[in-house]
Amino acid sequence: MKTLETERLILRGFEENDLDDLFEYAQSPDVGPNAGWPPHKTKEDSLNILKMFIEKDDVWAIVEKKSNKVIGSYGLHRDLKRDNEKSKMIGYVLSDKFWGNGYVPEATQRVLKHAFEELDINIISVYHFCFNERSKRVIEKSGFKYEGILRLSSTLPNGDITDDVCYSMTKDEFLSK
Ligand SMILES: CC(C)(COP(=O)(O)OP(=O)(O)OC[C@H]1O[C@@H](n2cnc3c(N)ncnc32)[C@H](O)[C@@H]1OP(=O)(O)O)[C@@H](O)C(=O)NCCC(=O)NCCS
């Protein structure tokens, strides 16, 4: 993936030696389950995910410039809910030690710029589980438009089925801001 830079962050492809940083935040019960995956129990869990990130090449490592540490991940994926080759879906997690600094909104503005100005993308969607107020705030602050609720559309790691709250931004909306 193309490396992207913001004032405080670098978004770059994952590398094998990011394993310790990934395992550190992926163990937290407050991180993965809010994004739909169970906390990692062993380093091997993290290694399998790391290999997938490297192979699929659609997730950036979020590196904090100050510490030069990988503090989260930012994905730009195919949106399986839309039959549109030019659509993408974003997804992100941040180590809970770094929450509240506005890092994900900062990364989001850079990813939107990249997707709309450098890739041939015409709409970006983002979804959060109905209970995820923190992600809701990121999405609101980033300027996405609320679309509605897709009911009973995601299965959580504990087996519960929950609603997805759906938002999007079109290229025209991004460029007119
Ligand atoms: C959602 C998430 C990515 C937000 O990233 P962030 O860089 O902390 O975003 P912000 O700093 O803008 O904070 C967003 C909101 O989180 C809440 N928040 C901030 N610091 C917090 C903290 N230390 N503890 C709990 N909540 C906090 C606030 O409600 C804040 O909104 P506000 O700006 O109106 O005060 C992060 O909380 C996270 O990784 N959560 C777990 C995974 C997840 O939910 N991923 C998204 C799936 S859709």
Side-chain angles (χ1 to χ4, degrees), residues 6 34 49 52 60 64 85 96 102 118 134 158 161 172:
T6 70
N34 282 301
I49 295 300
M52 190 189 76
W60 286 280
E64 186 191 41
E85 274 181 11
D96 45 5
E118 295 178 318
R134 291 185 282 266
N158 68 4
I161 297 176
D172 288 346

Side-chain angles (χ1 to χ4, degrees), residues 34-162:
N34 282 301
W37 45 270
H40 295 188
K41 291 201 180 76
T42 65
K43 260 195 194 178
E44 208 184 343
D45 292 341
S46 296
L47 183 60
N48 290 333
I49 295 300
L50 188 57
K51 284 182 176 161
M52 190 189 76
F53 285 162
I54 293 170
E55 191 190 315
K56 285 192 77 182
D57 199 31
D58 62 355
V59 176
W60 286 280
I62 304 175
V63 180
E64 186 191 41
K65 283 184 185 171
K66 197 165 58 178
S67 60
N68 197 30
K69 200 175 165 59
V70 174
I71 60 169
S73 67
Y74 204 113
L76 184 64
H77 311 283
R78 239 192 100 196
D79 182 359
L80 297 173
K81 293 185 172 77
R82 282 176 217 274
D83 184 12
N84 169 1
E85 274 181 11
K86 293 188 176 185
S87 68
K88 290 278 187 195
M89 172 188 76
I90 54 167
Y92 39 73
V93 304
L94 196 72
S95 162
D96 45 5
K97 292 182 188 148
F98 295 85
W99 288 359
N101 295 302
Y103 279 156
V104 171
E106 182 172 319
T108 298
Q109 288 312 311
R110 186 66 190 90
V111 169
L112 290 172
K113 186 172 168 56
H114 171 62
F116 288 131
E117 294 183 0
E118 295 178 318
L119 308 176
D120 192 20
I121 302 300
N122 63 20
I123 188 164
I124 303 247
S125 40
V126 58
Y127 307 102
H128 69 75
F129 299 142
C130 50
F131 51 82
N132 192 343
E133 289 296 322
R134 291 185 282 266
S135 187
K136 179 181 178 185
R137 286 295 300 136
V138 169
I139 294 165
E140 288 172 347
K141 291 191 287 184
S142 301
F144 284 85
K145 192 173 259 186
Y146 174 73
E147 292 185 337
I149 293 178
L150 200 59
R151 294 186 298 166
L152 303 182
S153 48
S154 283
T155 303
L156 299 174
N158 68 4
D160 289 352
I161 297 176
T162 191

